[in-house]
Amino acid sequence: MMYSSRRKPVLYFRDDRSFLSRKCTVWKLCGLCMLFVLGSLLWVQLTCSGDMSQTVGHGHLPHQPCPTERHASSADDPSWGPHKMALIVPFRERFEELLIFVPYMHAFLNKKKIRHQIFILNQLDHFRFNRASLINVGFLESGNDTDYIAMHDVDLLPQNEDLDYGFPNEGPFHVASPDLHPLYHYKTYVGGILLLTKKHYQLCNGMSNRFWGWGREDDEFFRRLKTADLKLFRPVGITTGTKTFRHIHDPGWRKRDQKRIAAQKQEQFKVDPEGGLTNLRYKVESRQEVTISGAPCTVINTFLECDISLTPWCQPS
Ligand code: UDP
Ligand code: MN
């Protein structure tokens, strides 16, 4: 009994030690957890925060979607509907507008639950700017997982969330309609932002490739819509008038190329019944997956080709 009673403190001491060592383990576990959390945060930071760093062929880590992106794309959420839009932006030297446009549109469309991929058609050749041909290239390069297009100027930002960017099943939908556009108010205007199903765009044979320099390609496209017997739709019930869009274009700095050489003066008002997707000539120099402030877009660097005997006005003077 004496022996065993003397052992008690020992036992007690051993108990106490095991108590202390349990305490130790709890602290160790806490420490390990903290390390794990810090490590995870560091990993997320390293793999998804690098804006403008996700260019092809630069040996970066494969792109991991950030938690916010995962949430935003909601790929499996049926409330986003079955359709996906290719947002086609004809582009050259509007870098500061692009930096605003891509994050703005990505957020705007996500909020409206519009599945989308933004394509920037960057014209690399040294011919005059050709908005219509770039849209044709965008259509052909936009892949099979998109079933409608929005041809969209880089400098027009929709300000009203009631604007419809959904699948234009019934016919082409002119979002930037003449009563809402800040600058252009004529009845047959279809420029700025126009939505079409891929089927309808194909039916028009796309846009004419004859328009180099500013303007008229959209007016010619209006005539194609009529020829293809497509009914044009425009927004209804939008009460924000010409404040519906913000036009982030400084025309003093970004001058419109309105030169008309002799032959072009007559040509610009003609319809082009033959040309379009079927006679488009171009080369894709490269594709780059880019994120701008967390918003993904695909830059398609494009060389347009010009038959100088047919459209000599493609050359800058
Ligand atoms: N654009 C471009 N670079 C140019 C000219 C035009 O990127 O040098 C693209 C851009 O998307 C722009 C659209 O073509 O929003 C229409 O051109 P612009 O803004 O000059 O025409 P507006 O509608 O203002 O008359
Ligand atoms: Mn503009």
Side-chain angles (χ1 to χ4, degrees), residues 90-92 94 129 131 153-155 184 214 247 249 256:
F91 181 82
R92 176 189 265 170
R94 298 279 188 108
F129 188 69
R131 178 175 176 270
D153 284 359
V154 75
D155 57 11
Y184 302 119
W214 178 87
H247 191 197
H249 179 174
R256 297 180 176 104

Side-chain angles (χ1 to χ4, degrees), residues 26-61:
V26 168
W27 283 114
K28 273 183 202 157
L29 269 175
C30 281
L32 275 174
C33 282
M34 290 282 283
L35 270 176
F36 179 74
V37 168
L38 279 173
S40 309
L41 282 173
L42 193 67
W43 173 250
V44 168
Q45 187 68 19
L46 279 174
T47 53
C48 75
S49 69
D51 287 352
M52 302 290 292
S53 67
Q54 303 301 331
T55 51
V56 166
H58 285 214
H60 288 286
L61 289 166

